[in-house]
Amino acid sequence: MARALLIVLDSVGIGGAPDAARYGDAGSDTVGHIAETCAAGRGDRDGLRSGPLRLPHLAALGLGLACEEATGRVPPGLAPETPPQALWGHAVETASGKDTPSGHWEIAGLPVREAWGHFPDTQPAFPAALTAALIERAGLPGILGDCHASGTAIIDRFGAEHVRTGQPICYTSADSVFQIAAHEEAFGLERLIETCRIARELCDPYRVGRVIARPFLGSEAEGFRRTSRRKDFAVAPPAETLLDVAEAAGRAVVSVGKIGDIFAHRATGREIKPAGNAACLEAALDAFSTLPAGGLVFLNLVDFDTEHGHRRDVPGYAAELEAFDARLPAIRAALRPGDLCIITADHGNDPTWTGTEHTREQVPVLAFGPEVAPGSIGRRETFADIGASVAAHLGLPPLGAGRAWW
């Protein structure tokens, strides 16, 4: 029986979606703009990388051709030198929004078209009743922030005041999210987690997709830095996903990275959550090496998004892409006859774009394995085609949405 490895390169979009103008993202193109910036000599950083974007293995799979289908152009350096070695194409999101849960749920066969709740880009951003209830129930002396902000910038801005007053830093963004940052030692990690549990309950009436605990360490003198002990409290998917169907069929499921958080730990099997893309990929390959027939490893690589996209860091993003590309031979070597690997993304986060938010983009779809015949799968009208194709490959019942390309 076949196995599957599903890899989501968080935020690695390949061009504005057909409805990108609704989100202010017409013309965004995460991969294309990174490649163009590097080709122009503006993607260098001493000790990190220099020169044009180099993704030879992804190009060989057909990434450049997927970009061309999505945008009409092949980004610099991504034209394949030989016929593509994978099934390649691109997919359009049908869910309303450009956030992580919507993208992943749709990949797993569950497009959610109802609008999420969002907090306005005003100050204060949160309803007074929500803030008052959080302060009372969590026993807080107050909150700081109460605005739209970048996670790193707001910690730099309020970190010292937070340590001095004990008030957690609460902020949001264009995503459906309520984020709480607090010092692991001065405030306490467990207290932060409990505060987020309370916030999760309070945010439910507002249809907020995620409450996120953002712990950090450091001091005013040394600077503050976020730690790897982030924890997401997401709304559970409102219907069955690929994971539910796999669990019901008795299949082995391994969730690596923040997949468990995204799916509210439902049907996510064995969860592994190392820190960093490299460690997550190694953990996924290790799990895949002993995965029984019919099993699924579902991996999210979040550093593209959190470490580089939101920070508008082109050299860092380029280096992260190149590091992943270098590991593709190991991924291909891990596949046995009958196995399938799909590489895709959940949204964009163009580091050359204005602001610090996700961008509404199309995503690449690259599918390969020892017995997968290469070719074009064209434009997929929903991310759900990805989950439908995984289900068909594994011999699972059809999902609620999506059409397999097999």
Side-chain angles (χ1 to χ4, degrees):
M1 190 183 295
R3 305 181 304 166
L5 172 60
L6 179 52
I7 302 175
V8 179
L9 310 183
D10 202 308
S11 85
V12 181
I14 57 170
D19 61 355
R22 283 181 51 205
Y23 300 83
D25 295 329
S28 60
D29 183 358
T30 299
V31 171
H33 287 159
I34 291 171
E36 290 169 356
T37 301
C38 291
R42 300 193 305 274
D44 298 358
R45 180 175 296 157
D46 289 344
L48 180 66
R49 69 164 314 281
S50 63
L53 184 65
R54 299 177 183 87
L55 306 177
H57 301 296
L58 284 166
L61 292 177
L63 177 61
L65 297 178
C67 293
E68 183 179 33
E69 278 195 345
T71 66
R73 68 187 190 284
V74 178
L78 290 187
E81 297 181 358
T82 58
Q85 301 168 6
L87 284 171
W88 54 270
H90 66 289
V92 175
E93 186 172 11
T94 60
S96 175
K98 51 181 178 176
D99 54 90
T100 295
S102 293
H104 281 75
W105 293 358
E106 186 163 337
I107 288 169
L110 178 61
V112 178
R113 297 179 176 88
E114 295 81 6
W116 292 102
H118 296 82
F119 297 112
D121 191 1
T122 58
Q123 194 162 4
F126 305 123
L130 172 60
T131 301
L134 180 63
I135 290 171
E136 179 182 1
R137 289 186 52 182
L140 304 174
I143 67 169
L144 300 171
D146 201 352
C147 60
H148 279 229
S150 158
T152 51
I154 201 165
I155 291 171
D156 290 340
R157 178 181 174 189
F158 290 110
E161 186 177 353
H162 158 70
V163 171
R164 185 174 65 254
T165 65
Q167 299 178 61
I169 305 167
C170 300
Y171 62 104
T172 186
S173 70
D175 292 339
S176 181
V177 66
F178 188 107
Q179 304 191 74
I180 306 178
H183 197 282
E184 286 192 8
E185 296 171 349
F187 189 86
L189 181 60
E190 288 306 315
R191 186 183 179 198
L192 171 60
I193 297 302
E194 181 57 30
T195 301
C196 287
R197 288 195 180 99
I198 294 168
R200 171 67 273 170
E201 181 182 338
L202 295 173
C203 284
D204 283 349
Y206 298 92
R207 288 190 53 78
V208 173
R210 286 181 295 165
V211 172
I212 305 178
R214 294 284 196 177
F216 64 94
L217 287 170
S219 65
E220 184 175 15
E222 300 173 352
F224 298 104
R225 64 189 185 282
R226 296 199 296 197
T227 73
S228 63
R229 287 172 283 276
R230 158 185 171 163
K231 186 173 179 60
D232 293 37
F233 297 83
V235 173
E240 280 192 339
T241 70
L242 171 66
L243 296 173
D244 296 295
V245 173
E247 180 184 69
R251 304 299 180 82
V253 173
V254 182
S255 301
V256 186
K258 65 177 188 175
I259 296 297
D261 290 336
I262 293 168
F263 288 86
H265 309 284
R266 193 182 79 201
T268 46
R270 179 162 70 97
E271 295 185 9
I272 309 171
K273 196 176 183 182
N277 278 2
C280 282
L281 180 56
E282 288 305 314
L285 292 177
D286 183 62
F288 198 71
S289 69
T290 58
L291 188 73
L296 168 67
V297 172
F298 196 172
L299 166 66
N300 171 278
L301 296 177
V302 74
D303 287 358
F304 299 107
D305 187 50
T306 58
E307 298 300 314
H308 311 297
H310 286 299
R311 299 183 184 191
R312 296 302 185 245
D313 175 11
V314 172
Y317 207 131
E320 202 74 61
L321 285 168
E322 291 169 340
F324 175 77
D325 185 84
R327 297 297 293 145
L328 268 168
I331 295 172
R332 300 190 72 169
L335 304 178
R336 304 196 300 242
D339 287 346
L340 168 70
C341 178
I342 296 179
I343 297 173
T344 188
D346 54 341
H347 50 71
N349 200 342
D350 187 342
T352 72
W353 208 242
T354 57
T356 60
E357 310 300 343
H358 296 159
T359 42
R360 177 78 166 182
E361 294 187 45
Q362 301 167 83
V363 301
V365 182
L366 307 173
F368 55 96
E371 297 173 354
V372 176
S376 173
I377 58 172
R379 168 170 152 165
R380 313 307 296 189
E381 297 301 331
T382 169
F383 292 3
D385 286 3
I386 298 165
S389 300
V390 172
H393 179 79
L394 295 179
L396 293 170
L399 306 181
R403 180 173 58 87
W405 52 70
W406 310 110

